[in-house]
Every structure is written in C-alpha cells, then in structure tokens.
C-alpha cells in the first residue's frame, strides 16, 4: 500500500533539491551574519560610547581655571563664563563641552552639589560616590547610563570634580537602525539569490531534460541514428551528452555489424543449401544410375561439410566476440606453443609446401587455445594460398618489450586493395581459390589479437607472397616447468 503511494508521489527534481539546499544554507548564513553584526556592533558601540565619554570629560578638565580675585579674571582677554568658588572665581572656557554627542559634563563640589553644567540624571546620581577616572554604570527608568568622574587638580581647584554622563540609548538607536536595515536587506538578498539560483539551475539542467527526451525517443522509435543536440558548450553535461552520443554511435555500429553478420551468414549458407536441395530433387525426380546417385551424394556430402565448417566458424566468431572477457589469460611459453604447433602442421605438406620455423625464448600473458587458433589459422591460409612446392616460414622473436610472431609464404599474395578487407568477416579476395575456407579465419585471428591487446597486420605483394605479423606485450620473468 505504502509502496504504491510512494510511486504515485512526484519525485523531487534535482533543480528543486539544489534550490532547497542552498536556500537553507543562505538563510542560515543570513541569520548568522545578522547575529554577528548585532553582537559585534553592540560591543563596538558600547566601547565607542565609553571612549567618547572619557575623551569629552578629559577635554573639559583643561577648560576650567581658578582666579583668586575679580581683577585677575578681568585681565584675561575675554571672560566666557564664570562661577564663584570659595574666595575666588572659576573661569569656564568657551571650549568647555557641556553637552556634546549626548555626553553631558557638569562641575561638582566634593559633596556632589552642582556648580556648573547639566546632568540629565542629576537626582538619581546624587548618591553615587565620586570616583576618580572610573566608569560607573547605572540604570534609570530602564535606560543604562555610564558615568565618568574626574577630580580636578591645580591651584584653587581642590575639591572640584567633573562628572560626565552618557546614556546607552543613543547607541541602541543606532543599533536598531542597523538591525532594521539587516532585517529588510538580508531577506531581500536571500530572495534574490534563491530566485536567481533557481533560474540558473533550471537553465543549466535543461540539457539533462534534452538527454532524457532523446533517450526516450530512441527507446520508443528504436532509431539509433538519433543524437542529443545541445547548444554549444563544454561543461560536464555537454561531455555527458557527447559520451551518450558516442555510445549511441557504438551501439548503432554494433547492431549494423550484427545485421550484416546475419545477412552474410544466411547468404553463405544459401549456396550449399540450394546445391543440396537441387541434388536431392535431381535424385528423386526419376530413377538414376548408381553412378549418378554416387555423384549426387558426393556433392551433398561436400556441401554438407562446407555448411558444417561455416556453422562451426560462425559459432566460434560469435563466441569470441560475446565472451571476450571470459577468456583467461595466463603466463604462456610461446616458444613451446609455436614449436609444437609447427611440428604438427609441418606434416600437412599440402602442394609439396615445406614449413620451416625459428623460435626464441618468449613468453606472454595469453590464452593458449586462442593463440593456437590464431597461429593455426595463419599457417592454414599460408598452405591454402601458397604455391606448389613453396615455403612457409614461421618466426617467433623478442622485440624490445614485445613478442613478434610472423608467418610468411611465397604464395599468390594479396592486392593492396584487398589487404584492408581480408580481416572482415566472410571476405574472400578470390572465392574460387578459397577451397575449404569460410572467410572467417582472419577476422577470428584479428579478434584474438585484440583480446590480447595485440596487433595483427599484413604485408603482401600480389604474386610474390604474404607476411602476417602478430605482436603483443611480452612477459618477463615467467618460469615454466
Ligand atoms: P578463408 O577461409 O577464405 O581463408 P580468411 O579470413 O582466413 O578466410 O581469409 C580471408 C581472405 O584473405 C582469403 O579468402 C584470401 O583471399 C585472403 N588470404 C588470407 N591469407 C592469405 C595468404 N596467406 N595469402 C593470400 N591470400 C590470403
């Protein structure tokens, strides 16, 4: 029941997943930044407020002067403000900052009675003892105030204090401005990033959509010629599309070659089948002489053998191609393999041809039965296309880090034009001379070379002979009993 419900649910798209992920990350980041701004800003502001308070009071210390008599006071160029104090006068300079940046500075007697200036929380701080160069903190009606006292020194200034007061309110209002700004600005930024990101993700993931649509079209229509076409670009998705296209091309090729094989195979089998059927019809049509029956039976037997060879070779070729990975490769004494196979094949002596061989110590990582098949195919061809009383030379040698096996004959040779084609399945340069050949031997040999990571190629001249070379990586240090 549950499973059914799950399958009905629309899966979350990658686009949405990406958007959700970074939206969460962005919100977390915005919150973190907001808090960081608030806390760090608060700290800095508080310090600034206090520094400001100290600075203002310290500045004001120098702006107060004592004069013992009125005449002395009058002698100064311009008297700004003065208050009587003890037996003389206190001159308060114009530069005295009694209220600046919300900092209030007032002049006090030792018993905390106000002489000059203003203190917004005068009453509330009346009981607060004067403490020289120390910041005190007090809360009045929910507002935090900082108080800084400074004792005056100098002639006639004994018993005088400056008291500076500042409220935290000023800083808080600046902070709240900043917070309000952050509250609008950060969510707006998050929204912008989410919207923009969603559009970019949609645009960037569009190729995947195209890819999936093309794959679906191919699956439905079976047309492997279709390719994924994207706008120009070189990102990972374009690379993916290129790989898919390469895969479609490869599949197309494989299917085409498969179709070709089936068509070639049926074509090859058609001739012997028609001959057999014709011979049967001929024999059954009316009574024939013993000789005629014998001739017909011989033809049927020859064609039957041909079909049997064809079927065997076709099975071998398909097996090689479809099970290329399943052939075990192990350390192989190639010298022993070539020697023993040549010894056996030298006995054929077809058309008076002699087989000579020359080997060196050489080993490789290979499959014994496949490499035997490769060499025996090459030697059989050398016999089949060799000339009367000709020669076949087989040679095995080490070439740097490779082993090289050559089979050379002095037979009919292969034209330059045919040299490329003879490795194709069923290709025969001259079918009339192929005798028992099926046209599959060389394609099988080439497949075996490929399975071994090796190369098989031909050098030949028409009328003079051919030389087939197989080379593959050598194996060093293998010990054979
Ligand atoms: P086949 O069974 O016909 O020999 P192969 O695949 O072994 O098939 O060879 C393909 C064709 O290549 C042959 O039909 C022949 O025309 C040509 N060929 C192969 N080996 C030789 C050779 N040693 N000398 C001349 N022609 C050769």
């Amino acid at each position: 029941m549950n499973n059914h419900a799950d399958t009905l649910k629309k899966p979350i798209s990658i686009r949405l997943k990406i958007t959700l992920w970074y939206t969460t990350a962005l919100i977390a980041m915005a919150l973190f930044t907001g808090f960081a701004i608030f806390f760090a800003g608060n700290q800095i502001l508080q310090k600034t407020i206090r520094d400001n308070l100290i600075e203002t009071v310290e500045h004001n210390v120098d702006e107060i002067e004592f004069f013992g008599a009125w005449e002395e006071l009058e002698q100064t160029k311009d008297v700004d403000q003065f208050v009587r104090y003890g037996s003389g006068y206190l001159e308060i300079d114009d530069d005295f900052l009694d209220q600046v940046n919300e900092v209030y500075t007032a002049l006090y007697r030792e018993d905390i009675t106000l002489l000059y200036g203003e203190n917004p929380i005068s009453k509330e701080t009346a009981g607060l003892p004067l403490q020289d160069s120390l910041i005190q903190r007090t809360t009045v009606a929910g507002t935090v105030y900082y108080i800084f006292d400074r004792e005056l020194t100098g002639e006639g200034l004994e018993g005088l204090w400056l008291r500076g007061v500042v409220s935290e309110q000023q800083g808080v209002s600046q902070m709240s401005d900043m917070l309000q700004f952050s509250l609008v600005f950060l969510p707006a930024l998050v929204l912008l990033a989410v919207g923009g990101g969603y559009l970019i993700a949609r645009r960037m993931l569009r190729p995947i959509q195209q890819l999936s649509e093309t794959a679906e079209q191919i699956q439905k229509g079976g047309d492997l010629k279709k390719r994924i076409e994207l706008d120009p670009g070189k990102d990972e998705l374009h690379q993916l599309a290129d790989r898919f296209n390469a895969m479609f091309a490869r599949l197309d090729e494989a299917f085409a070659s498969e179709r070709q094989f089936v068509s070639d195979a049926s074509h090859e089998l058609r001739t012997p089948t028609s001959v057999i059927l014709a011979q049967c019809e001929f024999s059954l049509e009316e009574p024939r002489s013993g000789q005629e029956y014998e001739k017909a039976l011989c033809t049927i037997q020859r064609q039957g053998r041909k079909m049997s060879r064809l079927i065997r070779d076709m099975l071998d070729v398909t097996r090689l191609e479809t099970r290329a990975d399943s052939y075990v490769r192990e350390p192989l004494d190639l010298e022993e393999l070539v020697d023993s196979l040549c010894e056996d094949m030298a006995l054929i002596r077809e058309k008076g041809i002699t087989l000579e061989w020359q080997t060196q110590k050489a080993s490789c990582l290979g499959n014994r039965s496949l490499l035997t098949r490769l060499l025996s195919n090459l030697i059989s061809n050398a016999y089949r296309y060799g000339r009367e009383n000709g020669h076949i030379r087989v040679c095995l040698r080490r070439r740097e880090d490779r082993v090289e096996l050559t089979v050379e004959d002095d037979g009919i040779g292969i034209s330059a034009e045919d040299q490329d084609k003879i490795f194709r399945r069923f290709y025969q340069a001259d079918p009339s001379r192929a005798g028992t050949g099926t046209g599959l031997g060389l394609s099988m040999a080439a497949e075996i070379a490929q399975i071994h990571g090796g190369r098989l190629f031909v050098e030949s001249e028409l009328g003079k002979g051919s030389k087939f070379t197989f080379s593959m990586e050598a194996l060093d240090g293998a010990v054979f009993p």
Side-chain angles (χ1 to χ4, degrees):
M1 213 30 212
N2 247 346
N3 273 349
H4 185 60
D6 279 352
T7 49
L8 286 181
K9 246 191 260 165
K10 205 171 176 240
I12 301 178
S13 68
I14 298 181
R15 196 168 54 212
L16 196 62
K17 273 186 202 159
I18 295 176
T19 313
L20 281 178
W21 192 91
Y22 76 78
T23 305
T24 319
L26 270 176
I27 290 174
M29 258 158 62
L31 283 175
F32 177 76
T33 319
F35 281 120
I37 290 175
F38 180 72
F39 285 113
N42 206 14
Q43 296 271 320
I44 293 167
L45 266 170
Q46 283 194 18
K47 187 164 183 322
T48 315
I49 292 167
R50 282 179 300 202
D51 287 351
N52 204 11
L53 171 68
I54 295 172
E55 213 173 281
T56 313
V57 175
E58 289 294 348
H59 166 88
N60 288 340
V61 166
D62 297 331
E63 309 300 332
I64 297 167
E65 211 177 327
F66 178 76
F67 293 93
W70 178 251
E71 294 74 32
E72 276 178 49
L73 181 65
E74 271 189 331
Q75 271 169 24
T76 56
K77 276 185 200 121
D78 58 313
V79 177
D80 297 316
Q81 291 185 72
F82 67 92
V83 279
R84 285 192 70 98
Y85 180 61
S87 56
Y89 299 90
L90 292 172
E91 196 245 325
I92 293 141
D93 198 271
D94 229 8
D95 289 342
F96 187 92
L97 307 168
D98 49 359
Q99 194 193 334
V100 64
N101 286 341
E102 308 278 324
V103 178
Y104 293 83
T105 315
L107 185 62
Y108 280 89
R109 282 204 184 88
E110 216 161 16
D111 58 359
I112 322 187
T113 49
L114 188 71
L115 261 178
Y116 175 80
E118 203 185 319
N119 177 352
I121 47 165
S122 182
K123 248 193 261 150
E124 293 83 351
T125 51
L128 206 67
L130 292 159
Q131 298 204 46
D132 189 33
S133 301
L134 202 86
I135 288 202
Q136 301 185 75
R137 189 172 183 272
T138 188
T139 312
V140 176
T143 308
V144 174
Y145 288 88
Y146 294 105
I147 296 125
F148 181 71
D149 301 325
R150 182 74 159 73
E151 186 175 12
L152 298 185
T153 51
E155 200 200 328
L157 297 175
E158 298 83 13
L160 284 174
W161 287 74
L162 278 183
R163 169 163 275 186
V165 174
V166 69
S167 86
E168 212 184 45
Q169 199 61 50
Q170 162 215 20
V172 170
S173 75
Q174 283 181 25
M175 270 310 287
S176 78
D177 283 355
M178 205 152 85
L179 262 183
Q180 265 175 17
F181 177 70
S182 311
L183 276 176
V184 177
F185 180 70
L186 286 178
L189 205 72
V190 169
L191 267 179
L192 197 78
V194 169
Y198 183 80
L199 289 178
I200 291 174
R202 198 170 71 171
R203 201 182 144 76
M204 280 180 24
L205 293 173
R206 198 174 299 149
I208 292 195
Q209 183 81 23
Q210 280 170 286
L211 211 137
S212 138
E213 279 167 14
T214 314
E216 195 183 2
Q217 279 169 10
I218 290 176
Q219 189 224 333
K220 280 189 182 151
D223 180 8
L224 277 169
K225 296 249 175 298
K226 262 200 173 343
R227 297 288 175 267
I228 301 159
E229 276 156 26
L230 304 182
D231 301 333
K234 280 200 167 141
D235 58 17
E236 293 89 331
L237 289 175
H238 284 83
Q239 285 173 17
L240 182 70
D242 285 348
R243 294 211 178 111
F244 262 99
N245 282 342
M247 187 184 78
F248 293 144
R250 175 103 178 75
L251 280 176
D252 190 24
E253 223 172 82
F255 280 127
S257 127
E258 225 35 58
R259 278 193 295 270
Q260 187 64 39
F261 183 61
V262 173
S263 123
D264 289 347
S266 35
H267 181 259
E268 292 298 317
L269 286 169
R270 197 173 300 144
T271 322
T273 319
S274 334
V275 175
I276 289 173
L277 286 175
Q279 289 299 314
C280 292
E281 271 161 30
F282 168 79
S283 308
L284 296 172
E285 231 168 33
E286 53 191 80
R288 305 280 179 192
S289 70
Q291 240 178 354
E292 278 174 327
Y293 280 131
E294 194 182 337
K295 203 172 157 221
L297 277 174
C298 280
T299 311
I300 291 173
Q301 187 186 40
R302 207 170 44 249
Q303 296 302 327
R305 281 197 181 127
K306 187 172 180 184
M307 280 174 80
S308 153
R309 273 195 307 275
L310 253 173
I311 291 168
R312 186 201 61 203
D313 281 358
M314 272 169 9
L315 277 176
D316 286 349
V317 167
T318 1
R319 211 173 284 148
L320 262 182
E321 283 179 5
T322 51
R323 297 207 213 134
D325 298 338
S326 66
Y327 290 102
V328 182
R329 288 169 63 189
E330 46 199 7
L332 203 66
D333 184 351
L334 271 178
E335 189 187 18
E336 186 272 328
L337 185 149
V338 175
D339 281 341
S340 66
L341 186 69
C342 287
E343 245 169 64
D344 291 347
M345 294 196 78
L347 302 175
I348 299 176
R349 289 199 65 84
E350 211 177 284
K351 297 191 263 182
I353 296 174
T354 40
L355 171 69
E356 294 154 16
W357 69 98
Q358 208 180 8
T359 53
Q360 282 179 355
K361 278 222 157 314
S363 41
C364 71
L365 207 56
N367 181 289
R368 190 180 177 88
S369 69
L370 290 188
L371 289 180
T372 309
R373 184 70 181 266
L374 180 146
L375 183 57
S376 75
N377 278 5
L378 294 181
I379 298 176
S380 304
N381 280 352
Y383 271 114
R384 192 176 299 144
Y385 306 104
R387 65 174 170 81
E388 292 284 331
N389 303 317
H391 293 87
I392 302 172
R393 273 180 211 87
V394 175
C395 185
L396 171 72
R397 66 184 147 219
R398 270 294 297 253
R399 277 269 166 104
E400 290 163 10
D401 58 344
R402 297 180 78 79
V403 285
E404 195 179 84
L405 179 64
T406 52
V407 178
E408 200 174 349
D409 64 63
D410 47 6
I412 62 166
I414 306 158
S415 71
E417 193 192 321
D418 280 333
Q419 284 173 27
D420 285 340
K421 302 179 186 156
I422 52 172
F423 295 99
R424 293 185 197 160
R425 291 185 294 206
F426 297 111
Y427 188 82
Q428 295 183 313
D430 183 359
S432 63
R433 303 191 68 146
T436 55
T438 57
L440 289 170
L442 281 182
S443 73
M444 224 183 289
E447 187 67 34
I448 295 172
Q450 203 185 335
I451 290 174
H452 285 79
R455 267 175 14 102
L456 175 65
F457 58 92
V458 65
E459 295 154 278
S460 180
E461 204 176 317
L462 210 56
K464 289 210 168 151
S466 314
K467 182 178 170 187
F468 284 85
T469 306
F470 164 66
S471 93
M472 73 172 285
E473 204 180 315
L475 177 72
D476 287 317
V479 183
F480 303 98

